[in-house]
Amino acid sequence: MRPKAIGFSEVGFGADDLPRATSYSAEVPDIKRQLATAIDGILGSYQEHGNINHLDGSNLPSRAEIGQLLDDLLSLIFPGYLGAEEVDELSSRYFVGERCVRSLRSLERVIARATNIQRERRSCTAEIGAVEAHEHAIDLLAHIPEIRGLLATDVRAAIDGDPAACSRSEVITAYPGITAIAVHRIAHHLYRRGVPMIPRMMTELVHGRTGIDIHPGATIGESFFIDHGTGVVIGETTVIGARVKLYQGVTLGALSVDVSERARGRKRHPTLEDEVTVYAGTTILGGETVIGRGSVIGGNVWLTHSVAPRSTVMLDKPSLRIITHDE
């Protein structure tokens, strides 16, 4: 016979007066004693490893909230492409109004929570005003047309840069690079306004979906295309010009990991000028490294110094050994 499943309401105690394991008599069923022992162990770990608890402060923004917020914002940016709703000329004003209101309220909540958490960590107990949270939120919505303008160039770059791209619909709905760039452009706007935590949560969520890791601090010009995309990493202080194309596995990173306050304000990641192409598996490092306009960096290159405009950088042809084994 299978054991009966026991819910929280059946274990004999509530969340407000959890007994310790030692308070049970021998007659108490083993399952209750085992559960109480597990609870005591978890609570004890909260004391021992308090640096990964958040028990005495304001509620944190949840990943689920940020995920829903991103879905709503992306549906505003690409209406009719994402989501189950049918949007046409007749319904578009209602759709945009409803989605803007929902996004506004969500942005206000998560921005207020994130800013309050930051202030608590700095021993400042002042609550962020509703007006300040609203200003960040409404400013992002007001800049949706500008973000859409940039993304229109990114979609065009994908169509022009990939012979396998059949249509705008395919690029918007199926290309991970476009999803990652769209979320980055939203997060970058909030990052520039000094909104804590939320921009990074946004880009990390899309990192999990696409395999493309773009820090919200990175500055990226128009007509940006990431082909395939898996394994692309773009660091916080990276500057990318217009009409740049990256392939999968490209890293734009820092030369060393220095976590001091001095390093946080310094440019640590490279600059790619306009019309640069970087092929798969290449690593470009350093805040002083500048890849000149119109340059092409071949695959699997390791580069830590600047390159003049209109240069081609490639590895020498490797030597292959082919060994045939007799049967």
Side-chain angles (χ1 to χ4, degrees):
M1 179 181 295
R2 296 180 63 185
K4 178 185 175 183
I6 297 180
F8 287 115
S9 62
E10 298 179 82
V11 296
F13 50 80
D16 295 332
D17 62 341
L18 293 173
R20 299 190 63 79
T22 54
S23 69
Y24 285 108
S25 67
E27 291 77 19
V28 177
D30 282 347
I31 191 167
K32 293 184 179 181
R33 186 161 43 248
Q34 291 165 353
L35 179 56
T37 299
I39 291 169
D40 289 341
I42 293 169
L43 291 172
S45 79
Y46 290 171
Q47 297 295 322
E48 184 178 358
H49 307 294
N51 61 313
I52 56 171
N53 304 341
H54 185 74
L55 302 178
D56 301 318
S58 304
N59 287 342
L60 290 166
S62 73
R63 291 184 180 183
E65 278 183 298
I66 301 301
Q68 181 59 60
L69 172 59
L70 279 178
D71 288 343
D72 288 342
L73 291 170
L74 289 174
S75 71
L76 282 169
I77 289 171
F78 299 119
Y81 284 108
L82 307 176
E85 302 92 344
E86 292 186 10
V87 183
D88 54 26
E89 292 294 330
L90 184 63
S91 63
S92 60
R93 187 168 188 84
Y94 169 80
F95 170 80
V96 171
E98 183 273 338
R99 205 51 52 95
C100 277
V101 169
R102 196 161 80 182
S103 298
L104 178 66
R105 297 296 179 241
S106 180
L107 281 163
E108 289 171 343
R109 286 194 304 271
V110 298
I111 290 171
R113 289 180 195 168
T115 306
N116 287 338
I117 295 302
Q118 185 184 60
R119 289 180 173 182
E120 287 171 8
R121 289 175 179 169
R122 295 177 180 175
S123 301
C124 177
T125 58
E127 290 285 322
I128 183 176
V131 172
E132 185 178 346
H134 172 78
E135 286 175 352
H136 287 308
I138 198 67
D139 183 76
L140 175 61
L141 293 177
H143 280 82
I144 290 292
E146 179 182 322
I147 292 171
R148 276 177 48 80
L150 283 170
L151 285 166
T153 70
D154 300 329
V155 170
R156 184 74 256 170
I159 293 171
D160 292 343
D162 184 5
C166 297
S167 65
R168 286 193 305 273
S169 298
E170 183 181 59
V171 167
I172 292 169
T173 58
Y175 275 45
I178 290 298
T179 302
I181 295 164
V183 172
H184 170 78
R185 296 205 186 279
I186 294 168
H188 182 67
H189 184 86
L190 295 174
Y191 179 92
R192 289 179 59 195
R193 287 184 61 88
V195 174
M197 193 181 300
I198 304 304
R200 194 63 186 270
M201 291 182 73
M202 288 177 167
T203 55
E204 285 305 322
L205 275 174
V206 80
H207 177 198
R209 293 181 187 178
T210 65
I212 298 169
D213 183 1
I214 310 177
H215 193 286
T219 300
I220 299 176
E222 65 177 30
S223 301
F224 182 48
F225 179 40
I226 301 175
D227 200 359
H228 303 292
T230 304
V232 166
V233 178
I234 300 175
E236 179 184 20
T237 61
T238 302
V239 176
I240 296 175
R243 299 172 297 284
V244 168
K245 182 177 182 178
L246 307 182
Y247 285 83
Q248 68 272 18
V250 168
T251 295
L252 305 179
L255 267 171
S256 62
V257 180
D258 181 355
V259 296
S260 67
E261 288 301 320
R262 179 181 59 83
R264 293 183 192 279
R266 181 164 51 85
K267 190 175 188 311
R268 308 182 307 281
H269 305 90
T271 295
L272 275 57
E273 294 183 345
D274 297 348
E275 299 169 359
V276 166
T277 298
V278 184
Y279 283 95
T282 285
T283 297
I284 304 174
L285 304 178
E288 297 181 1
T289 302
V290 178
I291 308 303
R293 181 186 181 115
S295 292
V296 176
I297 311 301
N300 299 313
V301 168
W302 177 277
L303 195 57
T304 59
H305 57 81
S306 295
V307 172
R310 307 201 179 282
S311 298
T312 298
V313 180
M314 65 182 71
L315 291 174
D316 287 337
K317 186 176 181 179
S319 176
L320 298 178
R321 295 182 62 196
I322 302 174
I323 300 173
T324 302
H325 299 280
D326 295 332
E327 294 184 2

